[in-house]
Amino acid sequence: MTVPRSTLRLQLHKGFTFDDAAAQVDYFAALGISHAYASPITTATSGSTHGYDTVDYTRVNPELGGEEGLRRFVEKLRAHEMGLIVDVVPNHMGVGGSENAWWLDILEWGRHATHARFFDVDWHSPDPALRGKVLAPFLGAAYGEELHGGKIKLAFRPDEGRFVVEYYTNTFPICPVDYPSILQEAPELGQRFTGLTTQPADQPKAAEARAALATLAATEGGQAAIAATLAAHSADSPQGRERLHRLLERQHFRLAWWRTAADEVNWRRFFDVSTLGGVRVERPEVFEASHALIFRLFAEGLIDGVRIDHVDGLAEPREYCQRLRQRLEELAHERPPALQHGNGRTYFVVEKILARGEPLRGDWQVDGTTGYDFMNDVGALLHDPRGAAPLAQAWSELTGRSAEFADEALVARRKILAENLSAELDRVARALHRIARDAVTTRDFTFSSLRRVVGELVVQFPVYRIYPVNAVRSAEDERYFSQALEGARAVLARADHVVLDQVAQWLGGKLADEASVAERPRERAAERGRNHVAQQNVPGANGSQRRSAQTLFSQLTSPVAAKAVEDTACYRYGRLLSRNEVGADPGEFALSVDEFHETNAERAKSFPHAMLATATHDHKRGEDVRARIAALSEIPEEWATTLHNWSTLNTPLRRTVDDDDANWAPGPAAEAMLYQTLVGCWPPDLSPDDDAGVKELAERVAQWQLKALREAKLRTSWFAPDEAYENACRDFLFDIVAPQRRDGFLRELPEFAARIARAGAINSFQQTLLRLTSPGVPDLYQGTELWDFSLVDPDNRRPVDFEKRRAWLAEGEEKGPPSEQLANWRDGRVKLALVRRALALRHHAASLFAQGEYLPLEVTGEHADRVIAYARHAGSAYAIVIATRLAEPLLAKDGDVPLVEPARWGDTAVILPDALGSRALFDWMSTGAPKAEGQRLLVRDTLSAMPVALLVEEGVR
């Protein structure tokens, strides 16, 4: 049970606990799932709906049912011979609030705290106000405003004998060294704290003193003294505010408005989220402390594998993965005997965004990624490349924005770096400045010049990050770094080129030795119009300093890429929103069949057990929304005309903002994206006469719209919301789908959605079957076995009606193969049947899919470009996968079923492997048994009942 046959992702929270999941295990088993795949199970911030804001690595989240609930869940899984994969979050923890004991420890004791080195804090900030302190950017308004408003309060915890500062739900512990000054009115209470320092040796004494204080404070006199002390620090009076302010200024934290974080935060965050603090898991003691629970649960047999979240945020992803692999394999021998006969090493995948052509590094010792790369591949395959240019032109003409996604991405990168991650850029520049100052040849490199150079390298970086080994870039790293280097050189002034070249060396260039680097030719210096001495490698800049700078650089390129591309540019560019997805490049419109075969073959060779996903908890649009929008690529001119007509039709409903007719809401780009979204997510069974259903859909789309507008950061943002504009956009949305529009837009919208719904459904069947049969481990996101017309979170994390799915699965088993339910395709049961049948074959012929080779099959005939076919082969066994693609031109205009009429295929045929030329084949998707003419299998026979086929020999059936 080590390597999953298939997984099902579950989003656990207090509304869907371990016991709730356990109640559905028999359904998961009947569906064909081998492993549940759970969101993080460690204790998260109270009320968390996702679990990625861990506050305690040492306990199973009590809101999920705690460890006992986990044991009950696993017991149910084992009863059905199933396993459990868990999501592990090593990169960051939830900070702020009052629940993270490790974080509170450093707020209380500063750099001498037990956990001071657990978080990635720069204790040597150049800002005197932050030297030795942690910026605490958790105030909702400016510090002075909140202080004068009495919202920052000194409080006493009598059960702990502890003074804290409270700000709503946030708690900031006061250092015990300051207790004597706090208790000036009651020196008898503070005397035990006199003489304490922040040194580790004194911290146990402080704990004893707090216990004594708690005892004294429980007396009548003690209570009065504590009350007087708190009153003396109350913001109700000028004297109290001043005392409280002076007390705060002496602490190891500096309270600040949340908006200061982008410019001044002195600790690593998860992207630009200031409630998630970076963890230094590269330190052995932090690695062990943060993984102790997971290791124990694994050794006891409660979990079977791990999914590592955001591996690119770590200082050393390679070293982390290798260390984790070693520990898991060591612990595997401690597992219960019944769980030690697995079919391979412990399952271990990483969340990693890969650019086209970028390989997952083989020396990480992982089983692959969590499947964003496959989602990108199969998503691009659904698009007709002939629609790329006309749709880009239509988008540009309609909105006035660039037709090229790369232009939007570049602008977004500059914006994110300047406005959201400025403090992080400063930190990289300071690390390089320290190196520069250590040598006479580079001591005149200014901080500002280094910041300019590094900033441009980050802006131009084509992938998430690089992974130097022993502080030197690999050949693979060099391929991407050189692109950024040349891009930066083209933008920077000539005077900065010498700095750029030296920075490139410090960030992993191959150096001759620790003492010197070959001199640069004088003619090169003259060419650049500058005389300079031959540069030397910095003698004092040892490997540790370079590695530190490289780490900081990589921990900056990664969030810039994520925030700029996924969270900004993807909400600005709208050629087709089906390509604006996590892990995808919207600039890459389509993927050919041959290219798809190449990616599958490479995965089969290098990472045969990687996850295959088409929906996740992070997707921006459900898999079936994307599949339907992709169908627009087949009718680009018709869609462009429709967009123009709808915009004209709804012009009277536009809202003006600030009494400026030119400044209307939502604006051309946001309006065009709104129409795509409505077309993509309109439920197949929703009638425009259903007022309640239309309103419910509009509420969901309004949630997406608000997030999309703020993420785009054009006319509003999370940082500075423009509520007038946002409300105007919402009003526009609800107006265009109001009941009175039934003779206008509200009639045309569902008609057009129906116009492309059949092509969209065929796309969905295609991507579903390819996910379930390609090399790798297919992952099913909760609930997506029926149509998935969800939008971005939180919409994609809505409760799942498992009972309906359970009942329909049971009914479907009685009705036979998926083709028997195609006539009623709109309710989604045919998709459920497809998933069940394909997973059943994976179970029945496990080795064929787990170890079988991948063989692309040739397609011939007049519509060869509208079919994809391949075989999975092991020994003498074969499974043949055939799917319709780009079907819209072949569909009957008056048809009602997502199926190409057999006659339309003409002489289109799949060329079978030699071994199958004379063998009888049976279809797991229908009742068909198509016969080949020699090696030619006619598509009109094979896809007569379903738009996809999964063929095997009778013995496999």
PDB file of all heavy atoms in Angstrom, residues 20 109 259 526 569:
ATOM      1  N   ASP A  20     -16.259  12.829   9.947  1.00  0.00           N
ATOM      2  CA  ASP A  20     -17.043  13.057   8.734  1.00  0.00           C
ATOM      3  C   ASP A  20     -16.409  12.342   7.544  1.00  0.00           C
ATOM      4  O   ASP A  20     -17.108  11.752   6.710  1.00  0.00           O
ATOM      5  CB  ASP A  20     -17.139  14.556   8.442  1.00  0.00           C
ATOM      6  CG  ASP A  20     -17.903  15.315   9.508  1.00  0.00           C
ATOM      7  OD1 ASP A  20     -18.934  14.790   9.966  1.00  0.00           O
ATOM      8  OD2 ASP A  20     -17.467  16.418   9.886  1.00  0.00           O
ATOM      9  N   TRP A 109      11.211  36.895  24.467  1.00  0.00           N
ATOM     10  CA  TRP A 109      12.624  36.854  24.835  1.00  0.00           C
ATOM     11  C   TRP A 109      13.564  37.331  23.729  1.00  0.00           C
ATOM     12  O   TRP A 109      14.775  37.390  23.924  1.00  0.00           O
ATOM     13  CB  TRP A 109      13.017  35.438  25.258  1.00  0.00           C
ATOM     14  CG  TRP A 109      12.348  35.006  26.526  1.00  0.00           C
ATOM     15  CD1 TRP A 109      11.299  34.160  26.637  1.00  0.00           C
ATOM     16  CD2 TRP A 109      12.675  35.424  27.851  1.00  0.00           C
ATOM     17  NE1 TRP A 109      10.941  34.002  27.964  1.00  0.00           N
ATOM     18  CE2 TRP A 109      11.778  34.771  28.732  1.00  0.00           C
ATOM     19  CE3 TRP A 109      13.642  36.280  28.397  1.00  0.00           C
ATOM     20  CZ2 TRP A 109      11.812  34.948  30.099  1.00  0.00           C
ATOM     21  CZ3 TRP A 109      13.683  36.453  29.774  1.00  0.00           C
ATOM     22  CH2 TRP A 109      12.771  35.799  30.619  1.00  0.00           C
ATOM     23  N   ARG A 259       0.253  47.687   7.143  1.00  0.00           N
ATOM     24  CA  ARG A 259       0.773  48.159   5.866  1.00  0.00           C
ATOM     25  C   ARG A 259       2.287  48.383   5.884  1.00  0.00           C
ATOM     26  O   ARG A 259       2.894  48.515   4.822  1.00  0.00           O
ATOM     27  CB  ARG A 259       0.066  49.458   5.468  1.00  0.00           C
ATOM     28  CG  ARG A 259      -1.376  49.256   5.045  1.00  0.00           C
ATOM     29  CD  ARG A 259      -1.973  50.521   4.477  1.00  0.00           C
ATOM     30  NE  ARG A 259      -3.320  50.298   3.957  1.00  0.00           N
ATOM     31  CZ  ARG A 259      -4.066  51.235   3.391  1.00  0.00           C
ATOM     32  NH1 ARG A 259      -3.594  52.462   3.279  1.00  0.00           N
ATOM     33  NH2 ARG A 259      -5.275  50.960   2.938  1.00  0.00           N
ATOM     34  N   ALA A 526      36.742  48.873 -21.468  1.00  0.00           N
ATOM     35  CA  ALA A 526      36.696  50.073 -22.302  1.00  0.00           C
ATOM     36  C   ALA A 526      35.394  50.114 -23.092  1.00  0.00           C
ATOM     37  O   ALA A 526      34.781  51.171 -23.264  1.00  0.00           O
ATOM     38  CB  ALA A 526      37.897  50.092 -23.236  1.00  0.00           C
ATOM     39  N   ALA A 569      -1.008  38.932 -12.747  1.00  0.00           N
ATOM     40  CA  ALA A 569      -1.143  38.919 -14.208  1.00  0.00           C
ATOM     41  C   ALA A 569      -2.274  38.010 -14.681  1.00  0.00           C
ATOM     42  O   ALA A 569      -2.963  38.319 -15.665  1.00  0.00           O
ATOM     43  CB  ALA A 569       0.184  38.505 -14.853  1.00  0.00           C
TER      44      ALA A 569
END
